[in-house]
Amino acid sequence: MNYTTQMDAARKGIITNEMKIVAEKENIDKEILRKLLAEGKVVIPANKNHKSLSPEGIGEGLRTKINVNLGVSKDCKSFEKEMKKVKVALEMKVESIMDLSSYGKTSEFRKNLIDMSPAMIGTVPVYDAVGFYDKELSDITVDEFFDVVEKHAEDGVDFVTIHAGLNRETIEVFKRNKRITNIVSRGGSLMYAWMELNNAENPFFEHYDRLLDICEKYDLTLSLGDACRPGSINDSTDACQIKELMILGELTLRAWRRNVQVMIEGPGHMALNEIAANMILEKRLCHGAPFYVLGPIVTDVAPGYDHITSAIGGAVAAANGADFLCYVTPAEHLRLPSLEDMKEGIIASKIAAHAADIAKKVNGAREWDNEMSKARQELNWEKMFNLAMDPEKARRYRKESLPEHEDSCTMCGKMCSMRNMNKIMNGKNINILREDN
């Protein structure tokens, strides 16, 4: 039986090869996964032209996935440095990379990335439009916007961020309700500017069916962007954010009628006590579609540490229903991330995702922690390193400060609780002050 997209296959009762791989990775029954795909509660972003892909599922009942943003910019245009980041990110087993390149040989970078990456690849085509056509934003035509989307799809991109919910109606709500930071979404601000300069409707909203044609042709997953995401905790959960979310819910239903897979993008900066309610709102207004969040960043006053502010918010968000976390690095708001910034951002996001998976009772999540706890009780350092989320750092810290006794560390020495409890429970003397063991 033929099918156009993963959702189309699921609705026809077909279990695709991609579904089989995801079911095995997630330790979930294939038929349960197929049903969730058919309902739109899970997506498997898998462009027909991405031949190196190792598919991943995003959504209800599955592990929380993380995304890494990479790409060249005008101020930092080293193709080689960004490609080195790609290789390290893949070594760290990230599930997704978004190529946010906005300058130079974007097509070459994107094609190389797709050719080598088993991780799913996402893009924001509007970033690429200015450089691709070498035209000012206001001069780009509707056809040219859609041609860029199709070019990315043809290259093999698995999902695209499209800010289709920022229509004239949303803009009017935005104008009536003042914010401190206005529109902070880069793609959203570009689309807002184009609409204002041309006194026109958002082409991706006005010609949404044309966008769905492209998505259906390549099985391109639509990541409906949050142009009105809050860029400060003052602006969160306001009128325009919710207005846009309502429109995204309507666009989700239209996409599903065409068997197009959909994710919804979300905040942004947000006070800790608002996060759980925002997750409920998204799932309700967008009919259970997977939720992809940036952060949320829970305070605005920690530049240089926003991987931490984001991990705090990300753990709360994912524990309350978010399915996909976009990493944030220490360089957020300050510069293009370095390789080390990227690594710190990945680890912080992985910690947040895993903490949430424990709370959500995802298959196998708690077992990993239990294995680490057993290794600690046994004082089995090698096993601890192998189980660690970042084995390299754990080994380095141990090596940099070796204890007198192997069955302890330089924090507690012979007062180590694990060491002494093991001895006492085996009927031995703990000998804290004497030189013998």
Side-chain angles (χ1 to χ4, degrees), residues 46-342:
N47 188 311
K48 296 170 184 177
N49 291 340
H50 188 176
K51 305 304 183 185
S52 61
L53 178 68
S54 177
E56 296 283 355
I58 301 168
E60 186 177 304
L62 308 184
R63 287 181 299 106
T64 306
K65 307 305 186 299
I66 70 163
N67 171 73
V68 171
N69 290 338
L70 297 169
V72 292
S73 68
K74 188 172 183 179
D75 290 309
C76 298
K77 47 184 174 282
S78 173
F79 186 107
E80 292 74 21
K81 283 183 180 179
E82 289 307 294
M83 197 51 70
K84 184 176 181 181
K85 289 184 201 173
V86 169
K87 291 174 182 176
V88 172
L90 293 174
E91 287 169 5
M92 295 178 76
K93 295 182 168 46
V94 301
E95 293 94 0
S96 171
I97 294 174
M98 284 199 80
D99 174 16
L100 304 187
S101 295
S102 58
Y103 182 81
K105 299 176 182 178
T106 56
S107 179
E108 182 182 346
F109 184 84
R110 183 170 60 252
K111 287 177 181 177
N112 284 356
L113 176 60
I114 292 165
D115 285 346
M116 70 182 289
S117 177
M120 63 185 116
I121 302 300
T123 60
V124 187
V126 72
Y127 292 178
D128 194 27
V130 175
F132 185 78
Y133 293 114
D134 194 23
K135 294 170 70 172
E136 286 299 329
L137 177 68
S138 59
D139 297 329
I140 296 173
T141 67
V142 170
D143 286 343
E144 287 170 338
F145 275 128
F146 281 97
D147 288 346
V148 169
V149 174
E150 179 135 27
K151 178 71 174 102
H152 284 219
E154 186 180 1
D155 287 345
V157 166
D158 301 297
F159 66 95
V160 286
T161 294
I162 303 289
H163 299 91
L166 184 70
N167 62 5
R168 300 304 305 181
E169 197 176 340
T170 309
I171 285 177
E172 289 308 310
V173 175
F174 163 72
K175 288 178 176 178
R176 291 197 303 267
N177 295 270
K178 294 298 181 184
R179 290 175 146 193
I180 290 178
T181 50
N182 295 315
I183 293 177
V184 299
S185 160
R186 180 166 36 160
S189 66
L190 291 171
M191 191 51 59
Y192 177 89
W194 186 90
M195 292 164 68
E196 290 291 282
L197 291 168
N198 288 282
N199 191 28
E201 180 57 277
N202 183 334
F204 295 115
F205 177 80
E206 186 175 10
H207 307 286
Y208 189 61
D209 284 326
R210 184 173 176 182
L211 178 63
L212 297 180
D213 288 341
I214 298 170
C215 294
E216 189 178 21
K217 180 179 178 182
Y218 297 93
D219 197 0
L220 177 65
T221 298
L222 196 53
S223 189
L224 289 172
D226 53 336
C228 296
R229 73 167 181 263
S232 61
I233 61 171
N234 177 79
D235 297 344
S236 63
T237 325
D238 69 350
C240 66
Q241 180 195 329
I242 303 305
K243 176 64 179 177
E244 183 182 34
L245 191 61
M246 292 168 65
I247 293 170
L248 296 184
E250 294 171 359
L251 294 176
T252 297
L253 293 179
R254 287 179 60 186
W256 286 349
R257 286 196 286 269
R258 295 283 301 276
N259 293 314
V260 170
Q261 300 187 93
V262 175
M263 297 186 288
I264 306 296
E265 296 187 12
H269 293 235
M270 180 167 288
L272 200 62
N273 61 305
E274 295 181 31
I275 294 173
N278 268 262
M279 301 306 108
I280 294 169
L281 272 174
E282 184 278 338
K283 290 291 182 176
R284 179 67 175 163
L285 293 174
C286 297
H287 318 288
F291 202 15
Y292 174 26
V293 298
L294 176 67
I297 291 173
V298 296
T299 178
D300 300 333
V301 296
Y305 298 91
D306 276 328
H307 59 311
I308 297 173
T309 65
S310 172
I312 293 167
V316 175
N320 285 280
D323 307 287
F324 193 20
L325 303 180
C326 187
Y327 93 148
V328 173
T329 77
E332 185 77 6
H333 306 110
L334 301 172
R335 68 176 188 199
L336 190 77
S338 68
L339 179 62
E340 287 306 310
D341 293 332
M342 182 197 75

Side-chain angles (χ1 to χ4, degrees), residues 376-379 381 403-409 412-426 428-437:
R376 284 180 174 151
Q377 185 273 324
E378 295 165 357
L379 294 167
W381 298 101
E404 181 182 359
H405 297 278
E406 177 63 23
D407 59 353
S408 65
C409 76
C412 299
K414 291 177 74 175
M415 289 189 182
C416 170
S417 59
M418 294 293 188
R419 173 186 187 274
N420 292 333
M421 286 302 298
N422 288 345
K423 285 180 175 291
I424 287 292
M425 292 182 77
N426 284 302
K428 297 180 181 178
N429 193 325
I430 59 175
N431 299 339
I432 290 174
L433 298 179
R434 295 193 299 276
E435 289 301 317
D436 61 314
N437 292 328

